[in-house]
Amino acid sequence: MKSKKFIAGFTALAFSVLVLGACGADNNGSGDSSAASSSSSAVTSESTAASSAAEEVTYAAGEPMKDGTYKLEEKNYSNGYRVTFEITVKDGKITESKYDNINEEGKSKADDADYEKNMKDKAGIGPKEYIEKFNTELVAKQSPTAIDVVTGATHSFESFQNYAQQLIQAAQAGKTDTIEIDNGAELKDGTYTLKEKNDSNGYHVEFSIVVAGGKITESKYDNVNADGKSKADDTDYETSMKDKAGIGPKEYIAQFNEDLVKAMGEEDGSPANMDVVTGATHSFHSFVIYAEQLINAAEKGDTAEITVDNFVAAK
């Protein structure tokens, strides 16, 4: 496959970690209206430290993002707010991120002093801080999976990662139509599937969920090779990763699937309610991003397969 080369600041190097599912720290290497937002909600590359000397990063797979502005918004309000999100891509990288939670008057949750105080008292952080952090980190690191979990804002963090990934996928395809999320809608019965296009370290993600009676009754997440064989059946990979991380794909793949069905069966169920699987952190976060994307599809009843043209760094 022909390699693709991108010139960017040090952010380009971080961009390579967008390789979802089959790679990351757990890889054994065998290894809440539209543009209304407060000024604190928008972050550009000029306001970060992402302006160091350019360096070249080569990718073996993954369509580069096309320049333009890409938008996503939730249709429904939750606790008085809904998400609006916009990224600007220039020269193939994210130069501006405008993630926000706004009310019916178009005012940002970051400017809601009562909300800020109540949440900060309970969780140690409020929307004024985490909204800005989400935007800053996405511009700096160029990848939702490269951003550290924001303690105290887990649900918002998982939602942000999911939406950022959907915008990146839109940017790769050059689709500038606003992505609408029918958040909170009842899940429509059916089978919903997602598949990574490119192998990384010999594997790619294949993921499906079955919805019956408005509930997720089955989760089939896996990492498979070109022959369709599961990473869970790769004994060398299993041994090597288990020696290094204390867990292997045979265990964490089964746990991801079991825990998603359990978490979604609870009241106000969400993948964000799942506990992080120690030793498989990067695979866990990509799993949650993809699970939330499939749930968004089920909320719309859109059974078309989701193809993720995942980035794979050249070796």
Side-chain angles (χ1 to χ4, degrees), residues 29-75:
S30 305
D32 292 79
S33 195
S34 52
S37 63
S38 70
S39 58
S40 64
S41 303
V43 174
T44 67
S45 57
E46 287 77 11
S47 66
T48 71
S51 57
S52 60
E55 63 179 279
E56 186 177 286
V57 178
T58 305
Y59 296 91
E63 187 69 21
M65 292 185 291
K66 297 174 176 60
D67 291 359
T69 300
Y70 302 90
K71 300 178 181 181
L72 176 151
E73 64 178 48
E74 292 180 337
K75 293 175 62 176

Side-chain angles (χ1 to χ4, degrees), residues 6 10 29 37 65 73 141-142 166 185 229 243 250 277 279:
F6 303 92
F10 81 89
S37 63
M65 292 185 291
E73 64 178 48
K141 296 184 177 179
Q142 298 288 296
Q166 292 196 46
K229 294 183 179 179
D243 287 345
K250 191 170 185 177
V277 177

Side-chain angles (χ1 to χ4, degrees), residues 202-231:
Y203 291 92
H204 64 272
V205 169
E206 293 188 3
F207 194 177
S208 69
I209 60 171
V210 176
V211 177
K215 299 284 187 180
I216 294 177
T217 58
E218 187 175 15
S219 173
K220 292 183 178 179
Y221 165 89
D222 204 355
N223 291 265
V224 301
N225 63 18
D227 296 325
K229 294 183 179 179
S230 173
K231 188 188 289 186

Side-chain angles (χ1 to χ4, degrees), residues 34-259:
S34 52
S37 63
S38 70
S39 58
S40 64
S41 303
V43 174
T44 67
S45 57
E46 287 77 11
S47 66
T48 71
S51 57
S52 60
E55 63 179 279
E56 186 177 286
V57 178
T58 305
Y59 296 91
E63 187 69 21
M65 292 185 291
K66 297 174 176 60
D67 291 359
T69 300
Y70 302 90
K71 300 178 181 181
L72 176 151
E73 64 178 48
E74 292 180 337
K75 293 175 62 176
N76 310 307
Y77 293 89
S78 176
N79 296 314
Y81 289 92
R82 66 185 180 92
V83 169
T84 62
F85 197 175
E86 175 183 314
I87 63 170
T88 299
V89 175
K90 186 176 181 180
D91 297 330
K93 69 174 184 176
I94 299 168
T95 59
E96 186 173 19
S97 175
K98 294 180 180 179
Y99 166 89
D100 205 357
N101 292 257
I102 63 169
N103 62 17
E104 292 184 6
E105 298 174 347
K107 294 181 179 179
S108 173
K109 187 187 287 186
D111 298 326
D112 187 330
D114 289 337
Y115 199 111
E116 175 76 14
K117 183 180 184 305
N118 289 337
M119 182 173 176
K120 208 163 186 177
D121 288 346
K122 293 178 181 179
I125 193 171
K128 191 170 185 177
E129 293 83 20
Y130 73 71
I131 288 174
E132 183 175 6
K133 183 174 178 63
F134 291 170
N135 286 313
T136 301
E137 289 290 288
L138 183 60
V139 172
K141 296 184 177 179
Q142 298 288 296
S143 163
T145 59
I147 302 171
D148 292 334
V149 175
V150 178
T151 304
T154 306
H155 281 257
S156 292
F157 175 75
E158 301 288 9
S159 171
F160 173 82
Q161 284 193 306
N162 166 31
Y163 294 162
Q165 175 60 26
Q166 292 196 46
L167 286 169
I168 287 170
Q169 289 168 208
Q172 288 179 283
K175 293 182 178 179
T176 57
D177 294 344
T178 299
I179 300 168
E180 287 193 345
I181 305 295
D182 196 4
N183 53 307
E186 182 178 345
L187 304 185
K188 313 299 186 293
D189 290 358
T191 300
Y192 302 88
T193 60
L194 178 151
K195 182 178 180 179
E196 287 183 334
K197 184 177 179 180
N198 310 307
D199 283 350
S200 175
N201 294 308
Y203 291 92
H204 64 272
V205 169
E206 293 188 3
F207 194 177
S208 69
I209 60 171
V210 176
V211 177
K215 299 284 187 180
I216 294 177
T217 58
E218 187 175 15
S219 173
K220 292 183 178 179
Y221 165 89
D222 204 355
N223 291 265
V224 301
N225 63 18
D227 296 325
K229 294 183 179 179
S230 173
K231 188 188 289 186
D233 298 326
D234 187 331
T235 55
D236 290 337
Y237 198 111
E238 174 77 13
T239 299
S240 181
M241 181 174 174
K242 206 164 186 178
D243 287 345
K244 294 176 180 179
I247 193 170
K250 191 170 185 177
E251 294 79 21
Y252 73 70
I253 288 173
Q255 189 170 342
F256 289 173
N257 287 313
E258 181 181 342
D259 288 356

